[in-house]
Coordinates of all heavy atoms in Angstrom, one line a residue:
D34 N -5.5 -1.3 -10.3 CA -5.8 -2.6 -9.7 C -4.6 -3.5 -9.7 O -3.8 -3.5 -10.6 CB -6.9 -3.3 -10.4 CG -8.3 -2.6 -10.2 OD1 -8.3 -1.7 -9.5 OD2 -9.3 -3.1 -10.8
K39 N -6.0 -15.6 -10.2 CA -7.0 -15.9 -11.1 C -7.7 -17.2 -10.7 O -7.1 -18.1 -10.2 CB -6.4 -16.2 -12.5 CG -5.9 -14.9 -13.2 CD -5.3 -15.2 -14.6 CE -4.9 -14.0 -15.3 NZ -6.1 -13.1 -15.7
G41 N -9.9 -19.2 -12.9 CA -10.6 -19.5 -14.1 C -10.9 -18.2 -14.9 O -10.1 -17.4 -15.2
A42 N -12.2 -18.1 -15.1 CA -12.7 -16.9 -15.9 C -12.8 -15.6 -15.1 O -13.1 -14.6 -15.7 CB -14.1 -17.2 -16.5
I43 N -12.6 -15.7 -13.8 CA -12.7 -14.5 -13.0 C -11.4 -14.4 -12.2 O -10.7 -15.3 -11.9 CB -13.9 -14.5 -12.0 CG1 -13.9 -15.7 -11.0 CG2 -15.2 -14.6 -12.8 CD1 -15.0 -15.7 -10.0
S44 N -11.2 -13.1 -11.7 CA -9.9 -12.8 -11.1 C -10.1 -11.9 -9.8 O -11.0 -11.1 -9.9 CB -8.9 -12.1 -12.0 OG -8.7 -12.9 -13.1
Y46 N -8.7 -9.0 -7.4 CA -7.7 -7.9 -7.4 C -7.8 -7.1 -6.1 O -8.8 -7.1 -5.4 CB -8.1 -6.9 -8.5 CG -8.0 -7.4 -9.9 CD1 -9.0 -8.1 -10.5 CD2 -6.8 -7.1 -10.6 CE1 -8.8 -8.5 -11.9 CE2 -6.7 -7.5 -12.0 CZ -7.7 -8.2 -12.6 OH -7.6 -8.6 -13.8
N52 N -9.9 3.3 -9.4 CA -11.2 2.6 -9.6 C -12.1 2.6 -8.3 O -13.0 1.8 -8.2 CB -10.9 1.1 -10.0 CG -10.3 1.0 -11.4 OD1 -10.6 1.8 -12.3 ND2 -9.3 0.2 -11.5
E55 N -15.8 3.4 -9.1 CA -16.4 2.2 -9.7 C -16.8 1.3 -8.6 O -18.0 0.7 -8.6 CB -15.5 1.5 -10.7 CG -16.1 0.3 -11.3 CD -15.0 -0.5 -12.0 OE1 -13.8 -0.2 -12.0 OE2 -15.4 -1.6 -12.7
F100 N -13.6 -8.9 -7.1 CA -13.5 -9.9 -8.2 C -14.0 -9.3 -9.5 O -15.0 -8.5 -9.5 CB -14.5 -11.1 -7.9 CG -13.8 -12.1 -7.0 CD1 -14.0 -12.2 -5.7 CD2 -13.0 -13.1 -7.6 CE1 -13.5 -13.2 -4.9 CE2 -12.4 -14.1 -6.9 CZ -12.7 -14.2 -5.5
R101 N -13.3 -9.5 -10.6 CA -13.7 -9.1 -11.9 C -13.8 -10.2 -12.9 O -13.2 -11.2 -12.7 CB -12.7 -8.1 -12.5 CG -12.6 -6.8 -11.7 CD -11.6 -5.8 -12.4 NE -11.5 -4.5 -11.7 CZ -12.3 -3.5 -11.8 NH1 -13.4 -3.6 -12.6 NH2 -12.0 -2.4 -11.2
N102 N -14.7 -10.1 -13.9 CA -14.8 -11.1 -14.9 C -13.8 -10.7 -16.1 O -13.0 -9.8 -15.9 CB -16.2 -11.2 -15.4 CG -16.8 -9.9 -16.1 OD1 -16.0 -9.0 -16.4 ND2 -18.1 -9.8 -16.2
S103 N -13.9 -11.4 -17.2 CA -12.9 -11.2 -18.3 C -13.1 -9.9 -19.0 O -12.2 -9.4 -19.6 CB -13.1 -12.4 -19.3 OG -14.4 -12.4 -19.8
K104 N -14.3 -9.3 -18.8 CA -14.6 -7.9 -19.3 C -14.2 -6.8 -18.3 O -14.4 -5.6 -18.5 CB -16.0 -7.8 -19.7 CG -16.5 -8.7 -20.8 CD -18.0 -8.5 -21.1 CE -18.4 -9.4 -22.2 NZ -19.9 -9.3 -22.5
Q105 N -13.6 -7.2 -17.2 CA -13.2 -6.3 -16.1 C -14.3 -5.7 -15.4 O -14.2 -4.6 -14.8 CB -12.2 -5.3 -16.7 CG -10.8 -5.8 -17.1 CD -10.1 -6.5 -15.9 OE1 -9.7 -5.9 -15.0 NE2 -9.9 -7.8 -16.0
E106 N -15.5 -6.3 -15.4 CA -16.6 -5.8 -14.7 C -16.6 -6.4 -13.3 O -16.2 -7.6 -13.1 CB -17.9 -6.3 -15.4 CG -18.1 -5.7 -16.7 CD -19.2 -6.4 -17.5 OE1 -19.4 -7.6 -17.3 OE2 -19.8 -5.8 -18.4
L107 N -16.9 -5.6 -12.3 CA -16.9 -6.1 -10.9 C -18.0 -7.1 -10.6 O -19.2 -6.9 -11.1 CB -17.1 -4.9 -9.9 CG -15.8 -4.0 -9.7 CD1 -16.2 -2.8 -8.9 CD2 -14.7 -4.8 -9.0
L108 N -17.7 -8.1 -9.9 CA -18.7 -9.1 -9.5 C -18.9 -9.2 -8.0 O -19.9 -9.7 -7.5 CB -18.2 -10.5 -10.0 CG -18.1 -10.7 -11.5 CD1 -17.5 -12.0 -11.9 CD2 -19.5 -10.5 -12.2
A158 N -25.0 -11.7 -12.1 CA -23.9 -11.6 -13.0 C -22.9 -12.8 -12.9 O -22.4 -13.3 -13.9 CB -23.2 -10.3 -12.9
L161 N -23.8 -15.9 -14.8 CA -23.6 -15.8 -16.3 C -22.2 -16.0 -16.7 O -21.9 -16.0 -17.9 CB -24.1 -14.4 -16.7 CG -25.6 -14.1 -16.5 CD1 -25.9 -12.6 -16.9 CD2 -26.5 -15.1 -17.3
Q162 N -21.3 -16.1 -15.8 CA -19.8 -16.2 -16.1 C -19.5 -17.7 -16.4 O -20.2 -18.6 -16.0 CB -19.0 -15.8 -15.0 CG -19.3 -14.4 -14.5 CD -19.3 -13.3 -15.5 OE1 -18.3 -13.2 -16.3 NE2 -20.3 -12.6 -15.6
N163 N -18.5 -17.9 -17.2 CA -18.0 -19.2 -17.5 C -17.1 -19.7 -16.4 O -15.9 -19.8 -16.4 CB -17.2 -19.2 -18.8 CG -16.7 -20.6 -19.2 OD1 -17.3 -21.6 -18.9 ND2 -15.6 -20.6 -20.0

Side-chain angles (χ1 to χ4, degrees):
D34 289 358
K39 289 183 176 292
I43 63 177
S44 301
Y46 292 86
N52 295 318
E55 179 193 4
F100 273 101
R101 294 186 181 276
N102 62 14
S103 58
K104 296 180 180 179
Q105 291 301 294
E106 298 166 329
L107 283 171
L108 299 173
L161 298 176
Q162 307 308 308
N163 182 24

